[in-house]
Amino acid sequence: MKTIAYKEFGSTTVLQTIEEPKPTIQDNQVLVKVKAVSINPLDWKIRKGEMKLMSGSKFPKHTGTDFSGIIEETGSSVTTLKKGDEVFGVVKNNMKEGALGEYVAVSASLVWKKPADINFHQAASIPTVGVAAVMAIQKMGTITPNTRILINGAAGGLGMFLLQLLKLKGGNITAVTGTNAINSAKSWGANSVVDYKTEDVLTKGTTYDVVIDLSGTMGYKNARKIMKSNSVFINPIPGPIDILTNPIKNLFRSKKHIVLLSAPSERYINELLHAIDNGLQIEVSKVFPFTQSKEAYEYAEKGGIVGKVVIAVN
Ligand SMILES: NC(=O)c1ccc[n+]([C@@H]2O[C@H](COP(=O)([O-])OP(=O)(O)OC[C@H]3O[C@@H](n4cnc5c(N)ncnc54)[C@H](OP(=O)(O)O)[C@@H]3O)[C@@H](O)[C@H]2O)c1
């Protein structure tokens, strides 16, 4: 089968199509004929060698975490899925494996049935960012109509889910986006939008109960300036030191710094499926064919994307 892999860390130029044997499955796994893979920033952070501590440096490496497709084969202990089911899911360890290929073998516990009213491109866009959005909201505590929430970098994959899920909870949301994404952020539920290309949210004089930085450009140090006391900063792009030290540091400060690590599971996916059933929109702004996987990553890495970029495989 054809798969996208790389044999050294680097820019999109290291990506290549290689032939590999079709994966074999274990008893608890399913073999999925991949229809689509969505792009996440983590894909290129791993490829550029920014996550070496976790990914190791063994090559070839594969890419892509979130996929959708059709079940081709099930392991002997799998009872919840059958050949022909339309599904979406995630690879277990995106530091060591990738979904961007014609087939992927994964644990059945990380694969869910695709709702009939969304397409494969949309389904492949759900798991990592959708679950991160649900988990982020849990970390925000009680949300009332008066809770002021700032989402910095609100128009990408995670922001799209977060804005719409938060809107259902009733918070007062300020979204920071580029000029091109202002209307999308409003339509997803932002009460107000700050255009980061022309304004600086740090100097506008408003303070927040919750700040979440999806762009990685603000950081806790800056966010503190616009956080109320007894507020939280949610960080989906933590370094190892943040992960290790913040639980202790938070004991002694009223402006908490909370790390977010997406862990897709049935419980969170069910919450997302319920929201999708109730009208949550999944915007896929561009779809590339498998043969243009390199171009797809070049496009996504340039930024300015609203929602998700997807690679259609089969
Ligand atoms: N910890 C976890 O479990 C977890 C899970 C999912 C994602 N993540 C991470 O969370 C981050 C967001 O994910 P994503 O999929 O939403 O990424 P994304 O689609 O790339 O979104 C990031 C957004 O930040 C915006 N941005 C860039 N510069 C900015 C600035 N100076 N001020 C404000 N906004 C700015 C970008 O807008 P423009 O493109 O218009 O510049 C973009 O819309 C990524 O770093 C990702 O790796 C973590």
Side-chain angles (χ1 to χ4, degrees), residues 28 40 67 107 146 153 202 221 249 251 255 275 281 305 312:
N28 66 334
N40 284 294
F67 64 85
S107 162
N146 294 326
L202 295 175
K221 249 192 190 154
K249 287 183 183 167
L251 296 174
K255 299 178 182 181
Q281 299 294 311
I305 311 298

Side-chain angles (χ1 to χ4, degrees), residues 32-272:
V32 178
K33 185 167 202 242
V34 178
K35 297 285 287 180
V37 170
S38 76
I39 292 181
N40 284 294
L42 187 63
D43 300 349
W44 68 77
K45 292 178 196 170
I46 298 171
R47 192 193 67 231
K48 288 178 178 173
E50 293 170 18
M51 316 289 291
K52 266 183 214 161
L53 219 55
M54 285 179 279
S55 71
S57 299
K58 197 170 159 216
F59 297 102
K61 287 194 180 303
H62 297 85
T63 195
T65 301
D66 299 333
F67 64 85
S68 62
I70 297 173
I71 300 277
E72 175 101 350
E73 195 185 332
T74 57
S76 58
S77 66
V78 177
T79 53
T80 49
L81 296 163
K82 60 179 190 317
K83 184 174 163 68
D85 281 348
E86 297 185 345
V87 295
F88 65 103
V90 284
V91 296
K92 188 171 182 185
N93 182 355
N94 52 17
M95 296 290 159
K96 308 274 181 196
E97 53 187 335
L100 187 50
E102 289 179 299
Y103 293 89
V104 65
V106 280
S107 162
S109 64
L110 294 173
V111 173
W112 304 279
K113 285 191 184 145
K114 179 182 85 60
D117 49 0
I118 62 169
N119 60 38
F120 283 105
H121 304 151
Q122 292 170 309
S125 301
I126 298 173
T128 299
V129 288
V131 168
V134 175
M135 293 177 74
I137 291 171
Q138 283 183 346
K139 291 176 188 291
M140 292 179 189
T142 308
I143 296 168
T144 72
N146 294 326
T147 310
R148 292 202 65 100
I149 302 164
L150 181 80
I151 307 176
N152 192 45
L158 215 170
M160 168 175 68
F161 279 93
L162 187 56
L163 269 170
Q164 295 180 78
L165 292 171
L166 269 177
K167 198 65 206 163
L168 299 172
K169 305 269 174 195
N172 183 325
I173 313 161
T174 301
V176 183
T177 72
T179 320
N180 62 320
I182 291 174
N183 289 337
S184 297
K186 283 185 182 159
S187 75
W188 292 334
N191 298 81
S192 55
V193 179
V194 175
D195 179 350
Y196 80 84
K197 308 253 179 186
T198 58
E199 298 171 272
D200 182 359
V201 72
L202 295 175
T203 58
K204 289 182 80 69
T206 310
T207 53
Y208 298 89
D209 300 288
V210 177
V211 176
I212 178 163
D213 181 18
L214 306 181
S215 73
T217 58
M218 180 180 277
Y220 176 69
K221 249 192 190 154
N222 285 315
R224 281 180 64 87
K225 298 174 195 160
I226 52 167
M227 288 167 71
K228 296 180 185 173
S229 58
N230 298 317
S231 56
V232 292
F233 174 75
I234 299 175
N235 182 2
I237 319 165
I241 295 187
D242 296 319
I243 296 171
L244 289 173
T245 62
N246 279 310
I248 308 276
K249 287 183 183 167
N250 283 340
L251 296 174
F252 305 100
R253 58 190 176 196
S254 71
K255 299 178 182 181
K256 312 286 187 205
H257 179 168
I258 295 173
V259 158
L260 173 68
L261 295 173
S262 181
S265 70
E266 176 124 8
R267 171 178 153 220
Y268 296 124
I269 294 289
N270 282 342
E271 197 167 325
L272 288 161

